[in-house]
Amino acid sequence: MKKRTGFIGIVVALALVFGATAWAENIVMKGSTTVLPIAQEIAEAYMKAHPDVKISISGGGSGNGIKAIIDGTTDIGNSSRFIKGKEVKLAVEKGTYPVPFAVAYDCIIPVVHPGNPVTNLTLAQLRDIYMGKITNWKDLGGPDLKIVVISRDTSSGTYEVWEKKVMKKERVYPGALLQASNGAVVTGIAKNRNAIGYIGIGYLTKGVKALTVEGIEGTRETTLNGKFPVSRPLYMFTRGWPTGSVAKFINYIINPGQGQKYVEKSGYVPLF
Amino acid sequence: MANKRQSTEKVMQTFFFSIATASIAILFMIMLFLFMEGLPIFREVSVKDFIFGHYWYPTSDPPDFGIFPLIVASLTVTALSSAIAIPLGVMTAIYLAELASARVAEIVKPAVELLAALPSVVIGFFGMVIVAPFLQETFGLPTGLNLFNSALMLAFMSIPTICSLSEDAIHSVPIVLKEGSLALGATHWETIIRVVLPASVSGISTAVILGMSRAIGETMVVLMVAGGAAMIPGSVFDPVRPMPASIAAEMAEAPFRGDHYYALFATGIVLFLFTLVFNIIADHIAHKYRQVGEASL
């Protein structure tokens, strides 16, 4: 473990040496692949506006982002979930106090093939479909076709939200087709009349039909006012209250006229 | 003069020896790494529960690390793709080596070998957007992303390997054997079945097993077309989740040196052992049926 930390340190140090001029300030971000597109858009714009700042970003998952905050190998840890109690305890033991900043909202929308007449499902119906209890579209007012359930991989952040907000501690049944990305879910559904899946709001295309949940359409407004049930905030964590260049960067991200514009551009829901 | 030649000889020998040692050492260290990163999971779950457990929920709380459905998926996909690829590959090889005219063989052989160069992601994409909807329409299935589709795509990938290695084996049967058979009054067909095939069985079986190793270890195709459902398939049209697909899909998001990470490496160990067994079998067959000289038949 120690060796690995040392290795990361060397890599970061090399990145600093080669990636920036001698006087530039550096910000390191890592973590959630869900937050990654937002972080990239904003970092690009920020570096254009502040040529003296160099931001390096990598993915690796929410768990890795928070772990990096605890270990002190990053300035900002991206996460698509809130920090767990276990992790806070570990951080405090190591002498840091992670501070969360909500930077955007992610809204997850159930989708079906455009030829499917079903337009609305309740949370209970969605849960039954994903538990393998409802297996035919005719039970939901659709045609007499077997339902093909498409889910994201169990390790994806999108899956975690779905599990928490829709499944309510029940497990997605093993017969569900697991896809590795939002894009693969869209392809699978656009090509299959029987399929149902769920994707982040940024991935909605004409090839799939968005369903309303409990009669509520998943949009920017219903996400912000909390009416749409399957949404979540996305976070960036810092080590203690941010200072210096990190503080300036966080302020930029949260500013509606600056960073939040790029949240929308990257397909997510801005905070305001 | 002789001294100089001897020393050159010595230098070359040492040079090649060190290169060989280096590559073997590196491979050995990769294996060591695989075991180091995979074994810690067995502190959390017993070997028996890991291999025979029916539920794979590595990120749930509490997690379940049972890879039995993944093992079954890998084995059935490999078996089915071999059932398609072996007859096609071996028969094509026989045709090319024994029956085809020189001109046809000259065109067909490079064409088959060219197929081996197709990137697996292209084959996967083909399976996903062309074959899957076709299977779904033709057989009235709920989904075209299933065991059969992935076996078909893997067969495409292993046919060139099986065919070109078998062809080499058949080609290298000494002409004396064939001439002897024909001189005794056997027909061309009898000679192929009774003499040429038995004489090349060691080479052909190596080809077959290498083709199967390729199928069981292939990642991209099964990730794209197998469907990814971690359940034991009830029919060939059920979606499955072979081991390599699971590793590829989940490794990116598994926290470094967490239980999930260890479990994926342990899955890699299982996959490694399967491939190892395949290779040992191939080696055994190659030795047992090795043709020693022309008089051994």
Side-chain angles (χ1 to χ4, degrees):
Chain A
M1 198 66 84
K2 267 231 170 89
K3 245 187 177 165
R4 170 80 185 187
T5 318
F7 175 68
I8 291 173
I10 291 167
V11 170
V12 171
L14 284 177
L16 299 190
V17 170
F18 290 110
T21 54
W23 302 107
E25 291 173 280
N26 290 280
I27 302 174
V28 180
M29 300 175 90
K30 59 176 75 163
S32 168
T33 47
T34 310
V35 186
L36 196 61
I38 301 176
Q40 272 167 342
E41 285 276 355
I42 297 179
E44 249 168 58
Y46 190 78
M47 285 190 283
K48 215 176 253 172
H50 304 80
D52 55 328
V53 179
K54 166 85 187 152
I55 304 170
S56 59
I57 310 172
S58 58
S62 301
N64 275 328
I66 289 176
K67 195 162 178 289
I69 281 291
I70 296 170
D71 293 342
T73 55
T74 186
D75 299 312
I76 298 174
N78 297 336
S79 175
S80 58
R81 60 167 169 81
F82 200 71
I83 191 166
K84 292 175 185 164
K86 239 179 2 191
E87 291 164 335
V88 176
K89 214 177 135 212
L90 198 64
V92 172
E93 272 169 22
K94 290 204 176 185
T96 34
Y97 191 80
V99 177
F101 290 91
V103 294
Y105 286 95
D106 188 12
C107 162
I108 297 178
I109 300 175
V111 287
V112 293
H113 190 271
N116 195 321
V118 174
T119 57
N120 177 59
L121 291 172
T122 65
L123 278 174
Q125 283 172 327
L126 281 171
R127 183 160 56 242
D128 284 350
I129 293 171
Y130 275 85
M131 281 172 69
K133 274 192 193 162
I134 300 179
T135 58
N136 199 305
W137 282 110
K138 74 174 180 219
D139 298 333
L140 302 163
D144 184 8
L145 287 170
K146 205 170 168 251
I147 300 177
V148 172
V149 180
I150 299 184
S151 172
R152 285 293 308 283
D153 268 304
T154 50
S155 48
S156 100
T158 314
Y159 173 88
E160 270 180 45
V161 190
W162 191 259
E163 195 181 37
K164 200 166 151 206
K165 306 272 171 154
V166 176
M167 301 311 289
K168 305 261 160 78
K169 304 229 163 175
E170 296 292 343
R171 285 172 165 179
V172 170
Y173 85 117
L177 275 66
L178 300 191
Q179 295 291 352
S181 66
N182 277 300
V185 174
V186 170
T187 312
I189 289 175
K191 293 250 164 220
N192 193 336
R193 291 183 56 83
N194 310 339
I196 183 168
Y198 54 85
I199 52 175
I201 189 168
Y203 291 89
L204 273 180
T205 62
K206 282 197 181 123
V208 296
K209 185 171 93 172
L211 295 180
T212 54
V213 179
E214 308 275 0
I216 298 157
E217 195 186 343
T219 60
R220 193 178 150 178
E221 285 68 39
T222 56
T223 305
L224 285 179
N225 63 23
K227 281 191 176 150
F228 189 75
V230 200
S231 61
R232 62 167 166 182
L234 302 175
Y235 297 97
M236 289 185 185
F237 285 86
T238 57
R239 312 186 66 216
W241 192 257
T243 53
S245 54
V246 176
K248 279 185 209 153
F249 182 55
I250 295 276
N251 278 327
Y252 180 87
I253 295 172
I254 295 173
N255 191 318
Q258 297 172 329
Q260 291 297 310
K261 280 192 309 196
Y262 299 101
V263 169
E264 194 158 17
K265 204 175 156 203
S266 57
Y268 292 88
V269 180
L271 293 171
F272 311 104
Chain B
M1 271 304 137
N3 243 347
K4 195 182 170 199
R5 277 175 60 189
Q6 270 170 5
S7 61
T8 318
E9 191 86 343
K10 199 90 191 168
V11 167
M12 288 316 281
Q13 237 178 39
T14 326
F15 179 63
F16 277 89
F17 176 75
S18 37
I19 287 189
T21 319
S23 62
I24 290 169
I26 290 169
L27 284 175
F28 184 75
M29 282 193 283
I30 290 175
M31 199 183 88
L32 205 67
F33 172 77
L34 179 65
F35 278 90
M36 262 167 49
E37 299 292 286
L39 291 178
I41 190 63
F42 297 117
R43 283 193 301 239
E44 300 294 321
V45 51
S46 71
V47 177
K48 185 171 156 264
D49 287 345
F50 184 70
I51 291 179
F52 295 105
H54 282 223
Y55 296 100
W56 174 252
Y57 287 98
T59 53
S60 292
D61 200 20
D64 267 332
F65 297 109
I67 62 166
F68 191 64
L70 313 185
I71 295 177
V72 172
S74 273
L75 292 181
T76 46
V77 166
T78 307
L80 190 59
S81 79
S82 310
I84 302 168
I86 293 171
L88 288 175
V90 174
M91 286 195 278
T92 311
I94 296 174
Y95 171 75
L96 287 178
E98 289 290 326
L99 305 169
S101 67
R103 260 189 65 207
V104 173
E106 222 167 81
I107 298 167
V108 176
K109 188 155 193 226
V112 170
E113 275 159 8
L114 196 68
L115 285 177
L118 271 180
S120 54
V121 67
V122 173
I123 296 183
F125 194 66
F126 174 74
M128 200 167 165
V129 300
I130 310 280
V131 181
F134 170 78
L135 287 176
Q136 199 185 341
E137 291 297 313
T138 318
F139 297 101
L141 305 170
T143 173
L145 300 174
N146 54 30
L147 204 169
F148 184 70
N149 189 345
S150 51
L152 212 56
M153 294 302 116
L154 288 179
F156 280 155
M157 295 194 63
S158 42
I159 284 173
T161 311
I162 296 177
C163 177
S164 93
L165 289 174
S166 303
E167 206 258 3
D168 289 344
I170 295 170
H171 216 87
S172 61
V173 172
I175 190 87
V176 191
L177 287 180
K178 284 194 273 182
E179 282 172 348
S181 165
L182 293 169
L184 287 169
T187 63
H188 191 183
W189 179 240
E190 284 166 342
T191 306
I192 292 175
I193 295 294
R194 299 276 173 81
V195 177
V196 175
L197 276 187
S200 52
V201 77
S202 113
I204 290 177
S205 50
T206 313
V208 163
I209 301 228
L210 284 180
M212 285 171 74
S213 296
R214 183 162 191 204
I216 201 172
E218 219 310 303
T219 308
M220 208 61 218
V221 165
V222 288
L223 185 61
M224 291 171 85
V225 303
M231 64 170 183
I232 294 167
S235 86
V236 292
F237 294 121
D238 274 351
V240 289
R241 183 178 185 82
M243 289 183 275
S246 195
I247 297 174
E250 294 166 31
M251 195 49 98
E253 301 247 7
F256 180 69
R257 294 212 168 131
D259 287 343
H260 188 192
Y261 171 95
Y262 290 134
L264 290 177
F265 269 98
T267 312
I269 294 176
V270 174
L271 195 57
F272 167 73
L273 293 179
F274 272 110
T275 319
L276 186 70
V277 167
F278 276 178
N279 281 301
I280 290 172
I281 294 172
D283 202 49
H284 179 75
I285 294 177
H287 266 104
K288 192 168 173 194
Y289 297 102
R290 192 178 42 177
Q291 207 206 331
V292 193
E294 286 158 14
S296 68
L297 269 181

